Amino acid sequence: METRELTVVAGSFVGFQLLFSVASPPLSSAITPGYGRLPPTKLTEWNSRLVSTVHALIVGLFCLYILWYDDAVNANPVWGDPSLVKLNVAITCGYLLYDLVLLACNWSTMGDSFFVCHHLAALYAYGYVLTRGVLPYFANFRLISELSTPFVNQRWFFEALKYPRSHRLVVLNGVAMAVVFFLVRIAVMPSYWASVFATFGTPEFERLGLGAQVAWITSCIALDVLNIIWMYKITRGCYKVLTGRGGRKVKVEAEASSSLDKKHTNNHTD
């Protein structure tokens, strides 16, 4: 890993920590007085989700820029120049490390072994990108899923502030969450997997080696299975709200954080 990437990882880690502990409390208090009335455990998660939203917007929009304008990566998705992708992945790695520390420090209220396993697996997978510069297109493409995270977090914010599920803002956010989640996680699957299959049997694919090949394909399959399950739950919940039907609350966690997020609906995989 080059000095630049290490600097970005460390800078992101510190920056997200400062956003969580220094910037989020006064900013959130200015946005809504309800923030100050939350119990301590919810204050912690509120700040965590605000950081999650900021991270998601940064890497998600950066991802779109790379997909649209980085000709080197688009021309060679396996071994193209990974400079910009490495920068985006380094930001995400800094966020994952920050989130692991946050979970460890608040394990009694926020601890979740699933998130820990997810974060460690994501760091391992993205390590291939940062150290070997492989699969830049595919690693970056996966980060587009982060664009659904702000809507998932906003759903939690409304719930924490005790907005009724029938409130217009809650309904609009729920519909937007379902639409964006579908667009960035489900609708892109055919295009993504067509690009994956197009690499099979090529010299570029063989150069990866078995370790990178297995880590890449298995993580993608697992993530897309989770995305389909989460899409089903989101659609079911959205349908119940729009039709006014009761029933069990549908939990969509990320991130997670993802996770897809605790971020957290877990997203960070290449």
Side-chain angles (χ1 to χ4, degrees):
M1 191 185 304
E2 298 179 1
T3 302
R4 187 188 71 160
E5 282 77 47
L6 282 173
T7 302
V8 173
V9 171
S12 298
F13 174 84
V14 174
F16 288 129
Q17 180 59 50
L18 289 175
L19 178 59
F20 171 84
S21 59
V22 177
S24 179
L27 178 62
S28 299
S29 296
I31 293 174
T32 173
Y35 171 82
R37 295 192 289 268
L38 295 175
T41 54
K42 284 205 170 184
L43 287 176
T44 299
E45 185 160 4
W46 179 293
N47 296 332
S48 171
R49 286 180 179 270
L50 187 145
V51 176
S52 168
T53 294
V54 171
H55 162 261
L57 291 174
I58 292 173
V59 300
L61 295 176
F62 197 10
C63 165
L64 291 179
Y65 173 83
I66 294 171
L67 287 175
W68 289 335
Y69 298 110
D70 195 329
D71 295 332
V73 167
N74 291 323
N76 187 343
V78 180
W79 291 98
D81 180 9
S83 299
L84 290 179
V85 174
K86 279 186 173 183
L87 182 59
N88 210 18
V89 169
I91 294 172
T92 290
C93 287
Y95 172 80
L96 291 172
L97 291 172
Y98 141 81
D99 207 41
L100 282 172
V101 173
L102 180 66
L103 288 173
C105 293
N106 298 274
W107 189 259
S108 61
T109 56
M110 297 178 63
D112 189 318
S113 57
F114 174 80
F115 284 128
V116 172
C117 291
H118 164 267
H119 286 10
L120 293 176
L123 287 169
Y124 172 76
Y126 282 135
Y128 277 102
V129 182
L130 294 179
T131 58
R132 294 182 56 192
V134 299
L135 302 168
Y137 174 85
F138 299 103
N140 184 70
F141 195 101
R142 281 298 183 183
L143 288 175
I144 195 176
S145 63
E146 287 287 358
L147 292 173
S148 66
T149 298
F151 298 97
V152 177
N153 287 336
Q154 187 59 49
R155 179 182 183 275
W156 186 91
F157 291 142
F158 283 140
E159 186 176 290
L161 294 173
K162 301 189 184 305
Y163 276 60
R165 298 185 71 192
S166 58
H167 193 284
R168 183 180 180 184
L169 291 177
V170 177
V171 173
L172 289 175
N173 179 74
V175 173
M177 179 177 70
V179 171
V180 174
F181 194 99
F182 174 79
L183 291 176
V184 302
R185 293 176 184 265
I186 305 299
V188 297
M189 283 185 188
S191 173
Y192 180 83
W193 282 103
S195 298
V196 171
F197 293 143
T199 69
F200 288 0
T202 64
E204 289 81 5
F205 182 79
E206 298 302 325
R207 280 178 60 197
L208 287 173
L210 183 61
Q213 292 169 358
V214 171
W216 175 30
I217 301 302
T218 56
S219 64
C220 289
I221 292 174
L223 182 62
D224 281 341
V225 169
L226 288 174
N227 282 333
I228 291 171
I229 293 172
W230 282 321
M231 185 73 252
Y232 167 74
K233 291 183 177 182
I234 289 174
T235 302
R236 186 178 62 179
C238 188
Y239 173 78
K240 287 180 179 180
V241 171
L242 291 175
T243 58
R245 296 191 178 188
R248 186 178 59 170
K249 240 188 201 182
V250 179
K251 299 273 188 185
V252 183
E253 289 293 333
E255 59 100 169
S257 302
S258 151
S259 210
L260 252 139
D261 305 314
K262 171 187 104 333
K263 333 174 329 59
H264 290 296
T265 329
N266 271 324
N267 314 311
H268 310 292
T269 325
D270 67 342

